[in-house]
Amino acid sequence: MELSYILNELGEDRDQYFNAVAPPIIQTSNFAFKTVADFRKALGNEFDADLYSRGNNPTLNILRKKLAALDGAEDALVFSSGIGAISVPILSLLKQGDHVISVENPYSWTIKLFNNFLPKFGITTTFIDGRDVANFEQAVQPNTRLIYLESPNTFSYDIQDLAAIAALAKPRGILTMIDNSYCTPLYQQPIKLGIDLVAQSATKYIGGHSDVVAGVVTGSREIITKIFHNEFMNIGPSLSPHAAWLLIRGLRTLPLRLQRSFESAKIVIEWLSKHTAVAEVLWPFADGFAQADLARQQMNGCGGLFSFILKDSSFDKIEKFCNSLQHILMAVSWGGHESLVIPSIAGVPAKDYDPANRRHQLIRMYVGLEEPEYLIRDLEKAINGL
Ligand SMILES: *Cc1c(COP(=O)(O)O)cnc(C)c1O
């Protein structure tokens, strides 16, 4: 399916709603039936029927069709947050006593899911360095049910060889799932490489304007249906029709925004890399990035999120640099119109700061839609002020 068709037409039945170009926000909790027979049929298969908006809703269904097609997946489910799109499917895939192999240091709440939540059900997790495929093979136990990936990681940009990992998981009956928030389906298509489930925080690039929190998971119709009929309906992480409408709107400009973020990041990174006060820039498409070959092999492009380390990485200098920025905002999240920074030390008390720990030194930056020169001027003032 062509990208332009997916983003502009797929799922949209304009003659059902006055040929309006923008779809309606069907702001309703429930749907009425004319006959008991129709009602019974809908109750018998809520996955395919508009019955109650905790399950299906026509505005959400437009979004689901587009997101599934973008990933080359049979189906998609949307959630009220990205972490919902990770936690709920994982709760669905696993049962008591199962074992998970996860890449080390995935998204913070994903770590908490594995460390704090799943142990309640007797589910254990082994965290490994996912840059080496052999580490996955070594961690497999007889009860391993899931391999969890995040490629690239959104702080260290560590990458996993998706095709190789899918190939080792399949014959062992192990499911694979990836957090693909960094790339979006435009820059990485894990299902085509053999991964079973693809989750994304739609809060980031899909929404794209820092005004909606949402998530999506895509996969086979069999797995998605099972998640829907069980954990999805029971836990109730449904997205509001208005939020779904905002995501449909976000999708219209996703290719443009992603490309802008990618191109501007290149310019900002080139400037930072040459600056004498900067020790290192971490970005999958940077020259000299340790896994640059694998990145270029499995990714069609790169996001605008990267990290860098100042040569003088004292606690005070990192803090002063971030405090001095005038236009680049200090905040969590990314993928919106606005450029952001988050220093690792925002999560580290001064007494715990270890100047030799690279993770502590990182300053993560997201390049939004501003002119790159505008961002460079802001960075320059803050760096020169050190
Ligand atoms: C933001 C983020 C999430 C969580 O998404 P929410 O929409 O905030 O719940 C998960 N994974 C990654 C990589 C993220 O950046």
Side-chain angles (χ1 to χ4, degrees), residues 80-84 86 107-110 148 150 152-154 179-182 200-204 212-215 305 333-334 364:
S80 52
S81 71
I83 194 64
I86 294 167
Y107 175 69
S108 57
W109 286 97
T110 309
Y148 185 83
E150 190 179 297
N153 176 282
T154 57
D179 181 337
N180 198 37
S181 303
Y182 186 91
Q200 257 187 103
S201 170
T203 311
K204 311 294 161 56
V212 58
V213 173
L305 194 65
S333 198
W334 49 275
R364 185 178 83 175

Side-chain angles (χ1 to χ4, degrees), residues 136-353:
F136 289 92
E137 207 150 6
Q138 274 160 25
V140 172
Q141 299 177 11
N143 58 338
T144 303
R145 176 74 182 136
L146 175 69
I147 290 179
Y148 185 83
L149 310 171
E150 190 179 297
S151 186
N153 176 282
T154 57
F155 253 96
S156 65
Y157 311 94
D158 285 355
I159 286 173
Q160 299 102 54
D161 185 334
L162 304 186
I165 294 162
L168 87 83
K170 277 233 159 66
R172 293 173 168 84
I174 300 171
L175 290 163
T176 48
M177 178 170 179
I178 185 172
D179 181 337
N180 198 37
S181 303
Y182 186 91
C183 282
T184 86
L186 298 193
Y187 285 169
Q188 182 164 267
Q189 303 220 302
I191 286 181
K192 293 188 178 145
L193 300 174
I195 301 297
D196 295 306
L197 281 176
V198 179
Q200 257 187 103
S201 170
T203 311
K204 311 294 161 56
Y205 276 125
I206 308 269
H209 296 74
S210 301
D211 52 12
V212 58
V213 173
V216 55
V217 72
T218 60
S220 71
R221 194 168 162 90
E222 188 189 341
I223 297 179
I224 296 293
T225 317
K226 179 177 172 280
I227 298 169
F228 176 90
H229 284 305
N230 296 284
E231 290 73 16
F232 186 82
M233 289 305 288
N234 250 151
I235 295 171
S238 55
L239 189 67
S240 77
H242 181 245
W245 185 89
L246 286 170
L247 296 182
I248 294 167
R249 187 169 73 160
L251 282 177
R252 312 278 198 211
T253 56
L254 177 64
L256 283 172
R257 289 184 290 102
L258 201 55
Q259 190 186 354
R260 167 76 171 179
S261 181
F262 177 25
E263 297 296 333
S264 298
K266 271 190 231 170
I267 297 170
V268 171
I269 286 167
E270 200 186 321
W271 183 84
L272 273 174
S273 308
K274 286 187 184 143
H275 200 289
T276 51
V278 175
E280 192 181 349
V281 181
L282 287 171
W283 189 60
F285 274 31
D287 296 329
F289 182 74
Q291 294 181 287
D293 290 346
L294 179 59
R296 283 170 199 272
Q297 182 187 315
Q298 66 187 18
M299 292 159 55
N300 305 321
C302 203
L305 194 65
F306 64 91
S307 298
F308 63 97
I309 295 176
L310 294 172
K311 273 204 182 118
D312 180 354
S313 268
S314 63
F315 195 84
D316 292 346
K317 282 281 158 65
I318 298 174
E319 201 162 312
K320 185 172 180 203
F321 167 78
C322 293
N323 290 348
S324 307
L325 295 167
Q326 301 286 304
H327 300 294
I328 300 167
L329 303 177
M330 218 191 311
V332 296
S333 198
W334 49 275
H337 56 91
E338 77 290 12
S339 292
L340 304 169
V341 294
I342 178 170
S344 278
I345 56 160
V348 179
K351 65 174 177 45
D352 297 337
Y353 183 67

